[in-house]
Amino acid sequence: MACPICKKPTQASYRPFCSKRCADLDLAKWFSGSYAIPAASGDDDEELENELQRASEKKPH
């Protein structure tokens, strides 16, 4: 397996990285926000609100 940062062979003690340096670089990317999961668009929010409204209207009060 290759290190995801520098592509060198991994070391068992730092797996999946090759060194503490590469592990720390990866951690820094997480802390800085370089790695991010894309947020849902506003259209998705509106669709969800509509579905919730329809579901609440079907329930007997």
Side-chain angles (χ1 to χ4, degrees), residues 4-60:
I5 301 297
C6 70
K7 308 301 182 216
K8 291 180 183 176
T10 60
Q11 296 294 320
S13 57
Y14 297 107
R15 195 167 204 166
F17 306 102
C18 68
S19 65
K20 181 171 179 3
R21 177 187 172 277
C22 283
D24 288 345
L25 287 171
D26 184 73
L27 185 60
K29 286 183 179 185
W30 282 105
F31 285 152
S32 70
S34 294
Y35 294 141
I37 298 171
S41 69
D43 295 339
D44 294 339
D45 294 340
E46 185 176 328
E47 184 179 334
L48 179 59
E49 286 179 26
N50 291 337
E51 288 180 30
L52 290 171
Q53 181 67 29
R54 285 192 297 268
S56 67
E57 291 171 355
K58 290 181 182 179
K59 289 184 178 181

